[in-house]
Amino acid sequence: MNILVIIIAVIAVILLLTGGFVSSLNFLLYVGAILLVLAIIVFLVRFLTGNRRV
């Protein structure tokens, strides 16, 4: 009985960590997409206005 409880606890911890990592990776994916869109907008504004300064 104790071994079954330990196995269930280990599986629960693994699933908890996996769920946390997946949701945080999902969040970072959205942040990366937003930053990519912002970089494209800034590039287009600089290209269209002719401002070549960094």
Side-chain angles (χ1 to χ4, degrees):
M1 188 68 178
N2 287 339
I3 294 175
L4 181 63
V5 171
I6 292 173
I7 291 172
I8 291 174
V10 168
I11 292 173
V13 168
I14 290 171
L15 289 176
L16 180 66
L17 289 176
T18 304
F21 289 146
V22 169
S23 64
S24 67
L25 288 176
N26 213 1
F27 170 73
L28 289 176
L29 181 66
Y30 287 126
V31 170
I34 291 171
L35 288 177
L36 180 64
V37 169
L38 287 175
I40 291 172
I41 290 172
V42 169
F43 173 76
L44 287 175
V45 167
R46 285 184 55 198
F47 182 73
L48 293 175
T49 60
N51 189 2
R52 299 287 184 213
R53 288 185 301 145
V54 175

